Amino acid sequence: MKVYDYSRLSGSQISDLCRRNPVGDPDLLKICSRIFSAVEEKGDDAVREYTRRFDGAEIGESRVSRTEFESALGQVPSVRVEALRRAASNIRAFHAAQGLREGILEVEPGIACWREQRPIERVGLYVPGGTAVLPSTVLMLGVPAVLAGCTRVALCTPPRRDGSVTPEVLAAASIAGIQEVFRIGGAQAIAALCCGTSSVPRVDKILGPGSPVVQTAKLLAQQRGVAIDMVAGPSEVLVVADDTARPGFVAADLISQAEHGADSLAILVSPSLELIDGVKRELDLRLEDLPRRDLAAAALGSSFALRTPSLEEAMEFSNRYAPEHLILQLREPKRWAARVQSAGSVFLGPWSPEVAGDYASGTNHTLPTSGLARSFSGVSLDSFVKKITFQELSREGLRSLAPTLEVMAELEQLEGHRRAVEVRIESGEAGRTPAGD
Amino acid sequence: MKVYDYSRLSGSQISDLCRRNPVGDPDLLKICSRIFSAVEEKGDDAVREYTRRFDGAEIGESRVSRTEFESALGQVPSVRVEALRRAASNIRAFHAAQGLREGILEVEPGIACWREQRPIERVGLYVPGGTAVLPSTVLMLGVPAVLAGCTRVALCTPPRRDGSVTPEVLAAASIAGIQEVFRIGGAQAIAALCCGTSSVPRVDKILGPGSPVVQTAKLLAQQRGVAIDMVAGPSEVLVVADDTARPGFVAADLISQAEHGADSLAILVSPSLELIDGVKRELDLRLEDLPRRDLAAAALGSSFALRTPSLEEAMEFSNRYAPEHLILQLREPKRWAARVQSAGSVFLGPWSPEVAGDYASGTNHTLPTSGLARSFSGVSLDSFVKKITFQELSREGLRSLAPTLEVMAELEQLEGHRRAVEVRIESGEAGRTPAGD
């Protein structure tokens, strides 16, 4: 892990440290375009063919049957089922608190405006497979989707070699309340959700993490008018620590991020060189017998530590970096949390490891990466609903606002707009009005 | 205006009626890509060159100077300034009510989770020019941006032939609290906001309506990691009316939408053939002396009326169509408003013309078109902020959650995750905890 000294870095060197790999690789776009065309043309046949080629699996029916669901549930040890249930319950509790709770605003007398929340009807959830088994992601996407009231929730996940889906993923789906699971992954899954096939429903929005191919496919879906959560890059953590932090805790947090993959980023920012040195020692010790040591070591090799003159600059850098996960191992975490401008999710103090949020504290782990936290929020109940504005004017309300409306219509030279007001103002009889006017 | 009978339409005919032009035309993508490359390479020079070519204007400095701002304000009649001020005040009031107001949730004892709202720091607003003068759009984008606390708000709008910006647009910007206005439009403006030039800041998010070229450019910006509000198509209204509706009001509303452009859509859905006939007669009458008659007539020519067996089917169709604007001219508008699933903004009863929301009731007029209301919300305060999740566990909170976290880490075969919990549980001394534990 390289150590940089903030006060010796130029502005452009700091920018370089904040730069992550861009999205939208032209080669991947070309590959995904071909897959989309094939799925659009040949539907399920194309999906099966790509699954054979990319996952090495024969899937037959892509939809997981009721029987498979039930037998999978029987295979998962109860201690795991209990853990998934508790995680789901916490995630549900936190996301349930996110509903729209605004009242009706009487902007002026007789002019009532408000917002109401409605579920997005059909959503597609993507849960990666490959080397990882990710039932936690099933919960993070599925629990809020069901909570929001989405009527069709279609979950896609790559099959194993034998064409089956990991039982834990099915157990998590079942706990989340999801009934439709498809054993398909990669760009072909995104294309199926975007275009629809005989088995897979066309959806209005696609959410979830995944490989660069999957993310590129989401970009294409977006171009075709299907909403997406965001384009996700490699996972990241940035730890801001002072001399009260325990090097062992910080090192363990950095490793828990680094073990995700060689492209993960685990950054340490601290004004204390002693802490940085301590963490480096702990990293070496803790890497030794880690099962995913090679991945974690590679990730840490391309990550860095940054020594700043004070916590002021540490927070400044963090805001510029806009990390997916931000851990504040500080004497006064709440005070510094108020200074956070851009981050996906923030973990305060020594007893809040990122792992808590990854799994079971209740916050969502589908978060903006690659600096997108500057403009994106993580997945929340908001991601599964629309907020529709409503307005109702009484006759008096409209009469009072009419001069303003007419002046603006004239100014914009939209006479038809002006007349839609005029026809009402000039209408003789009172007519029925909501306010009984 | 064609009239269809819902009960005689097949499923695929109904789908056809709901279909709008897709986004992401390949030719436009190619043109915009070229413009992006040129702006990236030559910065302001490229922007000036495109402005010369596309807008026929020599702009010199793209940023509107303080002097120009002030002299523009002097040119706008005070009745217009007053109208803009009242509109801004209502928009501000309604959007101010949209802030996040969630408390801290103690998910389990010792596990506190919450969300906080932070402004997106740098935003770019696009206000179209061309044949239209749209100070209302300046308010709809600028007021919530400033309210949210965005620190840099850069507004781009095409120059007039003489290189100046319409005084009303500058007046609206000033009322909204915007200081940076650039006299540039089209894809070159979006490219400048996306890549940054010597004059125009690189922003984190770009919002606003505009031509297909501008929307395609926004797609490209999105591919480069800049957030956008949504891709906007031609404006639309769908009116659901019963036999209590006044044909003159309905016709005036349809015309106010149709006059936006020949590609606007103005749809009438009603169980009453008498009402439909009445509206058609009123349309003919009211089109006669409309200044933008040709545009409105063209738009109405490609729009339609739909007669449904009852209001049930009318609402079903509306939800499937997912209109940008939905007007409910019904005996019981509130009752039917509860049935709305997908729409940008809804107008209830006879005294709530769309024009009220276009200008000054307080709701936003930047809304999802082309059926995107199935998955997108209109612009709101939400569009200018991130919602960051925070969590703080006490030592006891973590200890209680630890078994769940460890089981899930084992299940996902992420031993480093498990150890980030274990190191804390096994740590000897109490250490500092937020809860003083």
Side-chain angles (χ1 to χ4, degrees), chain B residues 45-66:
Chain B
D45 284 344
V47 174
R48 261 191 295 270
E49 171 55 29
Y50 286 119
T51 306
R52 201 173 292 131
R53 202 190 304 172
F54 298 135
D55 303 300
E58 283 296 337
I59 49 170
E61 263 310 312
S62 61
R63 180 197 288 261
V64 172
S65 71
R66 226 189 149 69

Side-chain angles (χ1 to χ4, degrees), chain B residues 122-436:
Chain B
R122 302 164 303 178
V123 296
L125 311 181
Y126 189 84
V127 174
T131 60
V133 177
L134 298 172
S136 60
T137 301
V138 177
L139 299 182
M140 293 294 174
L141 299 172
V143 167
V146 171
L147 191 63
C150 302
T151 43
R152 272 197 101 161
V153 182
L155 189 147
C156 289
T157 192
R160 298 188 288 190
R161 279 291 162 118
D162 66 356
S164 70
V165 171
T166 322
E168 280 82 2
V169 164
L170 293 181
S174 169
I175 287 166
I178 296 172
Q179 274 132 33
E180 294 190 87
V181 175
F182 298 89
R183 57 180 108 249
I184 55 178
Q188 60 275 20
I190 305 300
L193 290 168
C194 173
C195 312
T197 71
S198 316
S199 335
V200 183
R202 189 197 180 291
V203 299
D204 302 313
K205 186 166 186 173
I206 299 172
L207 303 97
S211 67
V213 180
V214 168
Q215 299 307 315
T216 306
K218 280 165 66 184
L219 265 182
L220 284 187
Q222 195 171 40
Q223 277 187 25
R224 290 163 177 243
V226 175
I228 67 168
D229 50 351
M230 57 205 144
V231 170
S235 194
E236 315 156 349
V237 72
L238 188 149
V239 183
V240 179
D242 61 16
D243 52 12
T244 66
R246 305 199 200 181
F249 289 13
V250 174
D253 288 344
L254 294 173
I255 286 176
S256 77
Q257 186 57 247
E259 74 172 344
H260 275 297
D263 54 1
S264 286
L265 289 159
I267 318 290
L268 171 61
V269 185
S270 176
S272 163
L273 205 51
E274 206 186 320
L275 188 267
I276 292 176
D277 287 338
V279 170
K280 285 184 72 171
R281 275 193 303 274
E282 288 281 347
L283 283 175
D284 291 340
L285 278 174
R286 285 165 194 277
L287 273 177
E288 260 174 34
D289 65 340
L290 189 76
R292 296 165 73 102
R293 187 167 68 98
D294 293 348
L295 291 177
L300 289 168
S302 48
S303 298
F304 59 90
L306 179 65
R307 188 202 180 182
T308 54
S310 76
L311 283 177
E312 295 286 336
E313 292 83 5
M315 292 307 297
E316 205 178 293
F317 180 80
S318 173
N319 284 328
R320 193 148 166 199
Y321 193 86
E324 181 191 12
H325 303 96
L326 171 60
I327 299 179
L328 302 177
Q329 298 222 23
L330 299 170
R331 189 178 284 111
E332 297 172 286
K334 273 248 165 88
R335 178 183 151 209
W336 294 100
R339 305 282 287 275
V340 175
Q341 283 300 325
S342 293
S345 191
V346 186
F347 300 78
L348 278 70
W351 311 110
S352 310
E354 188 200 308
V355 179
D358 285 345
Y359 289 142
S361 62
T363 59
N364 208 291
H365 80 196
T366 314
L367 297 165
T369 55
S370 317
L372 290 184
R374 283 186 279 267
S375 49
F376 282 85
S377 312
V379 165
S380 71
L381 194 71
D382 299 349
S383 313
F384 297 94
V385 302
K386 295 102 62 173
K387 293 172 187 172
I388 304 177
T389 53
F390 290 79
Q391 61 195 280
E392 186 169 38
L393 282 74
S394 69
R395 194 176 197 192
E396 273 320 303
L398 180 63
R399 193 172 284 150
S400 149
L401 198 61
T404 296
L405 299 174
E406 297 199 46
V407 167
M408 289 185 71
E410 274 173 46
L411 193 170
E412 299 196 346
Q413 296 170 40
L414 294 169
E415 173 64 11
H417 281 54
R418 201 191 60 73
R419 292 186 189 172
V421 178
E422 188 188 55
V423 63
R424 287 168 162 92
I425 298 303
E426 289 181 352
S427 69
E429 12 118 37
R432 295 176 149 277
T433 80

Side-chain angles (χ1 to χ4, degrees), chain A residues 48-377:
Chain A
R48 261 191 293 271
E49 171 55 29
Y50 286 119
T51 306
R52 201 172 291 130
R53 200 189 305 171
F54 297 136
D55 303 300
E58 283 297 338
I59 49 170
E61 262 310 313
S62 61
R63 180 197 287 260
V64 173
S65 71
R66 226 186 150 70
T67 339
E68 275 172 284
F69 241 113
E70 279 158 15
S71 89
L73 285 179
Q75 291 168 46
V76 180
S78 64
V79 62
R80 292 188 167 184
V81 172
E82 276 320 305
L84 289 170
R85 284 223 174 99
R86 185 167 174 196
S89 152
N90 286 352
I91 295 165
R92 198 172 292 121
F94 184 57
H95 288 74
Q98 294 166 0
L100 191 64
R101 256 184 246 87
E102 297 162 12
I104 296 180
L105 183 73
E106 193 167 22
V107 180
E108 294 190 16
I111 305 178
C113 297
W114 68 98
R115 294 200 294 176
E116 293 184 25
Q117 171 179 302
R118 297 286 190 275
I120 297 175
E121 283 187 51
R122 303 164 302 177
V123 296
L125 312 181
Y126 189 84
V127 174
T131 60
V133 177
L134 298 172
S136 60
T137 301
V138 177
L139 300 181
M140 292 294 173
L141 299 172
V143 167
V146 171
L147 192 62
C150 302
T151 41
R152 271 197 101 162
V153 182
L155 188 147
C156 290
T157 193
R160 298 187 290 188
R161 279 291 162 118
D162 66 356
S164 70
V165 172
T166 323
E168 279 82 2
V169 164
L170 293 181
S174 169
I175 287 167
I178 296 172
Q179 274 133 33
E180 293 191 87
V181 176
F182 298 89
R183 56 181 108 249
I184 54 177
Q188 60 274 22
I190 305 300
L193 290 168
C194 173
C195 312
T197 70
S198 316
S199 334
V200 183
R202 189 198 180 292
V203 300
D204 303 313
K205 186 167 186 173
I206 300 172
L207 304 96
S211 66
V213 179
V214 168
Q215 300 307 314
T216 306
K218 280 165 65 184
L219 265 181
L220 284 186
Q222 195 170 40
Q223 277 186 25
R224 289 161 178 244
V226 175
I228 67 168
D229 50 350
M230 56 203 143
V231 171
S235 195
E236 315 157 347
V237 72
L238 187 150
V239 182
V240 179
D242 62 16
D243 52 13
T244 66
R246 305 199 199 180
F249 290 13
V250 174
D253 288 344
L254 293 173
I255 286 175
S256 77
Q257 185 58 247
E259 74 171 343
H260 275 295
D263 54 1
S264 286
L265 288 159
I267 317 290
L268 171 61
V269 184
S270 176
S272 163
L273 205 51
E274 207 186 318
L275 188 267
I276 293 176
D277 286 338
V279 171
K280 285 184 72 173
R281 274 193 302 274
E282 288 280 347
L283 284 174
D284 291 340
L285 278 174
R286 284 164 196 278
L287 273 177
E288 260 173 35
D289 64 340
L290 189 77
R292 295 165 74 102
R293 187 168 69 98
D294 293 348
L295 291 177
L300 289 168
S302 48
S303 298
F304 60 89
L306 179 64
R307 188 202 178 182
T308 54
S310 76
L311 282 177
E312 295 287 337
E313 293 83 4
M315 292 307 299
E316 204 178 293
F317 180 80
S318 173
N319 284 328
R320 195 150 163 196
Y321 193 86
E324 182 190 13
H325 303 96
L326 171 61
I327 299 179
L328 302 177
Q329 298 222 24
L330 299 170
R331 190 178 283 110
E332 296 173 287
K334 274 246 164 92
R335 179 183 151 208
W336 293 100
R339 305 282 287 275
V340 175
Q341 284 298 326
S342 293
S345 192
V346 186
F347 299 77
L348 278 70
W351 311 110
S352 309
E354 188 200 307
V355 179
D358 285 344
Y359 288 142
S361 62
T363 59
N364 208 292
H365 80 196
T366 314
L367 297 165
T369 54
S370 318
L372 290 184
R374 283 186 279 267
S375 49
F376 283 85
S377 313

Side-chain angles (χ1 to χ4, degrees), chain A residues 370-386:
Chain A
S370 318
L372 290 184
R374 283 186 279 267
S375 49
F376 283 85
S377 313
V379 165
S380 71
L381 194 72
D382 300 347
S383 312
F384 297 93
V385 301
K386 295 101 62 174

